[in-house]
Amino acid sequence: MADKIYRVNMSNLSFKIEEVPASWMGLGGRGLTSTIVAEEVDPECHPLGPNNKLVFAPGLLSGTSASNSGRNSCGAKSPLTGGIKESNVGGTSAAIMAKLGVKALIIEGLPKDEGTFYQLHVTKDCVEFIPVPELVGLDNYAVLDAMAAKYDKKVAVMSIGRIGEMRMNIANISVKDPGGKLRSHGRGGLGAVMGSKKIKCITVDAESYKEVTIENPEKFKEASKIFTKTLQENPISGQGLPAFGTNVLVNILNEAGGLPTRNFRAGNWEHAEKICGETMAENIKARGGKTTHGCHAGCVIQCSQVYNDKDGNYLTSGFEYETIWALGAHLGIQDLDLIAKMDGLMDDLGVDSIETSVMLGLAVDAGILAYGDGARAYELLSHEIPTGTPLGRILGAGTHILGKAYGLVRVPTVKGQGIPAYEPRAVKGQGITYATTPMGADHTAGYAVATNILNSGGHVDPLKKEGQVELARNLQIASAAVDSTGMCIFVAFAALDDAKCLPSLIDMINARFGCALTIDDVMNLGKTILKKEHEFNIKAGFGKADDRLPEFMKYETLPPHNVTWDFTGEEIDEFWNF
């Protein structure tokens, strides 16, 4: 069964199933979504207008038995940044799309009837347009319940909540995971794009799927065993992440002086112990939750978890460091249970928990709430934003717009997107990634924390400038390539430390498609993707001045190391010389 392109036109509620163009054949995931957006979307278009497109594409290895290959990419022009955006997520959608033979799902146009929201139901050779007035005004879990009542459990569901319906910049696209909970295409406001196209949910039916074709099954099986072993034997992906989740980073970053505190005024927090991964794990064990949990089938890292309250009732899952940091050290909430409650609410509402939480921390500077006032923060999240009050609309526009509306100077954004979880003055390689990635401030675009702080792949001193541009460049190139395979970012730890990891990954791709890629080919793919994304942003109006961190980081020293962001523009611009 050859893969196909499923093209949906919301303007006339029609679909076409097309052959894959030759130039797209070797692409998947981020490589394919960014290529389609770059080729088919006018960089000057309004992100919520008729000329933007929403593209979903499983990775090259999605749908196979390869460990951690269940990521699905989504791309569009971002309403938050105004540039190109790709966001990938686990859950059930990637594997089912790949097994159905959907190389990419491209959604274009806007419906003429602005009052009707639709469910798109994708099957082996058809896309149905189903009006769903009964789902309008409901949030994600209600949509999941409705789809569960309608179909069997194998149906993938991608949905938006009320925030996406209102086309707010903080809106994400949520995806059902194997446990019936939610994962998120989190950053960049892609839920607003889906809302603009009047799509409440997309279901992908697994009834007629077939297992993906492996050209060389024996070679694939052999490479897959090696790859899995490298993940399981790595101390980070095999031990630290399964035991404490990504929240293991709270204490690590706090000790390194790189935990942004009180809206990036300090690099460590006196209450870090109350929200750290170790405390989280103790709570989970005591309350009958799950300390290890996969976000998609085939995950061997199992860094997710199920977090319950003191009475054993479910609060949230996929409880990530970046969200816990932003509501904790950044905003000042010391109650991990309240943070979990807010995280679960954000899943239901369908908002990017990083952008929303960074925005709430900035709201302290705006005088909207006090530092540490969890009750007020919950009220803003549960009432003001989802009911679309004037204040809620400002908050829902994201960190950058909130800063402009309140005349604030200390606004932690790059290209309009909130800076997450790692203080760039104290983790300078990460700062270069934030400044230069076409995605806006995005830690996953080139995770320099791995080498700056965790000593994975060597060590580059996080407090010094030397080697940081090259580190961020190499990591961004590699990340763009890995994002195209459908692999989780956390395979990077083994790839950096174990000489067998990356070759085995490439061997799996070669066995899957019957090709003969080399490491150089894969790195060249990463370079091509990055340059394509950068070129889109330039055409959209971005310049060198957009590859910069907030000015206050240049003149405010950050305790405890008393460092500033000391890169010149010329030094940052060297990033693109490849």
Side-chain angles (χ1 to χ4, degrees):
M1 180 180 66
D3 290 345
K4 305 288 185 181
I5 301 296
Y6 284 52
R7 189 180 294 272
V8 169
N9 189 331
M10 295 303 296
S11 300
N12 55 16
L13 303 183
S14 67
F15 75 94
K16 294 185 291 185
I17 298 178
E18 304 171 346
E19 298 297 322
V20 180
S23 61
W24 295 0
M25 289 293 290
L27 300 174
R30 175 177 169 184
L32 186 52
T33 62
S34 288
T35 294
I36 293 171
V37 171
E39 291 181 5
E40 297 195 359
V41 174
D42 179 357
E44 296 181 349
C45 78
H46 194 294
L48 303 180
N51 294 320
N52 198 7
K53 298 187 181 186
L54 189 64
V55 185
F56 296 89
L60 291 169
L61 292 172
S62 295
T64 72
S65 60
S67 298
N68 290 77
S69 61
R71 307 289 293 188
N72 208 18
S73 285
C74 179
K77 180 175 179 179
S78 165
L80 183 74
T81 69
I84 199 167
K85 192 65 191 174
E86 183 269 352
S87 174
N88 60 73
V89 68
T92 54
S93 60
I96 292 178
M97 284 180 67
K99 291 178 179 182
L100 203 63
V102 181
K103 179 80 168 177
L105 172 64
I106 304 172
I107 303 170
E108 49 197 29
L110 300 180
K112 292 182 174 63
D113 178 6
E114 294 187 6
T116 303
F117 271 86
Y118 294 89
Q119 170 200 350
L120 300 187
H121 186 57
V122 181
T123 58
K124 184 176 181 298
D125 51 12
C126 183
V127 179
E128 295 179 69
F129 300 81
I130 305 168
V132 284
E134 72 279 7
L135 299 182
V136 175
L138 300 182
D139 291 320
N140 284 310
Y141 282 117
V143 175
L144 282 190
D145 289 344
M147 294 304 106
K150 194 172 183 180
Y151 305 103
D152 70 36
K153 64 180 181 179
K154 290 183 179 178
V155 174
V157 183
M158 297 174 275
S159 62
I160 58 172
R162 284 175 285 171
I163 311 302
E165 290 179 19
M166 290 187 278
R167 303 179 299 283
M168 294 186 186
N169 287 344
I170 62 173
N172 68 22
I173 299 171
S174 298
V175 181
K176 185 177 80 170
D177 75 9
K181 302 303 180 183
L182 293 166
R183 306 290 149 169
S184 304
H185 287 290
R187 312 224 63 197
L190 296 178
V193 180
M194 189 158 150
S196 74
K197 298 187 180 302
K198 299 297 176 182
I199 299 170
K200 182 65 178 178
C201 66
I202 302 168
T203 47
V204 187
D205 197 329
E207 185 179 352
S208 301
Y209 78 44
K210 297 179 180 179
E211 295 302 317
V212 299
T213 303
I214 307 290
E215 291 295 326
N216 191 331
E218 285 305 312
K219 184 180 176 183
F220 186 91
K221 189 175 179 181
E222 179 185 342
S224 180
K225 283 183 179 178
I226 295 170
F227 180 73
T228 299
K229 194 165 183 273
T230 67
L231 299 183
Q232 292 174 329
E233 291 181 350
N234 183 271
I236 298 174
S237 60
Q239 298 169 30
L241 287 170
F244 304 110
T246 58
N247 202 31
V248 69
L249 289 163
V250 165
N251 279 338
I252 293 171
L253 268 296
N254 196 52
E255 290 168 12
L259 187 75
T261 299
R262 294 178 175 84
N263 191 26
F264 294 80
R265 287 180 168 85
N268 49 18
W269 192 39
E270 63 273 22
H271 302 296
E273 195 68 29
K274 295 180 180 179
I275 64 166
C276 69
E278 292 81 353
T279 299
M280 183 179 79
E282 288 175 8
N283 289 354
I284 291 171
K285 289 173 185 174
R287 300 169 179 184
K290 293 182 180 178
T291 53
T292 55
H293 179 248
C295 75
H296 64 269
C299 172
V300 299
I301 296 176
Q302 301 271 310
C303 72
S304 186
Q305 63 296 114
V306 174
Y307 188 93
N308 296 335
D309 66 15
K310 292 174 181 175
D311 297 320
N313 300 310
Y314 174 85
L315 282 178
T316 195
S317 57
F319 202 17
E320 305 292 348
Y321 160 68
E322 287 77 16
T323 307
I324 294 168
W325 152 76
L327 294 174
H330 177 61
L331 174 56
I333 300 174
Q334 299 176 34
D335 182 349
L336 191 58
D337 287 0
L338 178 55
I339 293 174
K341 184 179 178 183
M342 293 176 70
D343 185 60
L345 176 60
M346 287 189 279
D347 281 347
D348 194 20
L349 292 173
V351 297
D352 173 10
S353 64
I354 297 177
E355 186 65 40
T356 303
S357 303
V358 172
M359 174 275 296
L360 288 171
L362 182 66
V364 174
D365 284 10
I368 296 169
L369 75 166
Y371 187 74
D373 188 350
R376 173 63 172 156
Y378 189 83
E379 180 189 6
L380 295 172
L381 186 60
S382 61
H383 173 69
E384 297 285 351
I385 296 173
T387 59
T389 66
L391 175 58
R393 288 281 186 175
I394 293 172
L395 298 174
T399 310
H400 192 73
I401 297 300
L402 174 65
K404 282 189 174 296
Y406 279 79
L408 303 178
V409 173
R410 304 182 76 268
V411 181
T413 59
V414 181
K415 298 180 179 69
Q417 183 163 274
I419 296 176
Y422 310 93
E423 174 46 78
R425 285 166 288 186
V427 192
K428 292 185 186 292
Q430 199 61 43
I432 293 293
T433 288
Y434 289 155
T436 54
T437 171
M439 299 296 160
D442 187 334
H443 61 295
T444 66
Y447 194 62
V449 173
T451 307
N452 278 170
I453 302 297
L454 301 174
N455 300 329
S456 194
H459 180 70
V460 177
D461 190 331
L463 300 175
K464 295 179 180 177
K465 295 199 293 183
E466 288 74 27
Q468 307 293 3
V469 172
E470 182 181 10
L471 174 66
R473 181 194 296 128
N474 290 339
L475 288 171
Q476 286 193 53
I477 291 167
S479 296
V482 169
D483 286 344
S484 302
T485 65
M487 285 291 166
C488 163
I489 185 179
F490 293 142
V491 308
F493 295 113
L496 287 167
D497 287 334
D498 192 324
K500 298 186 292 295
C501 182
L502 190 55
S504 64
L505 175 59
I506 296 169
D507 286 345
M508 285 192 292
I509 296 172
N510 288 335
R512 161 82 168 88
F513 295 101
C515 52
L517 297 175
T518 66
I519 288 179
D520 286 344
D521 292 330
V522 174
M523 291 304 104
N524 285 333
L525 170 63
K527 291 176 182 178
T528 300
I529 295 166
L530 266 186
K531 288 183 175 180
K532 201 169 285 186
E533 293 167 346
H534 185 53
E535 183 181 352
F536 181 96
N537 281 1
I538 290 171
K539 291 178 180 177
F542 286 72
K544 291 180 179 179
D546 295 294
D547 283 358
R548 302 292 184 262
L549 293 187
E551 184 193 17
F552 75 86
M553 293 185 174
K554 295 168 68 174
Y555 59 76
E556 286 188 14
T557 57
L558 179 81
H561 298 298
N562 297 322
V563 286
T564 58
W565 180 249
D566 51 358
F567 285 87
T568 66
E570 292 75 17
E571 288 170 333
I572 297 171
D573 295 340
E574 278 296 311
F575 175 91
W576 290 107
N577 289 335
F578 65 89

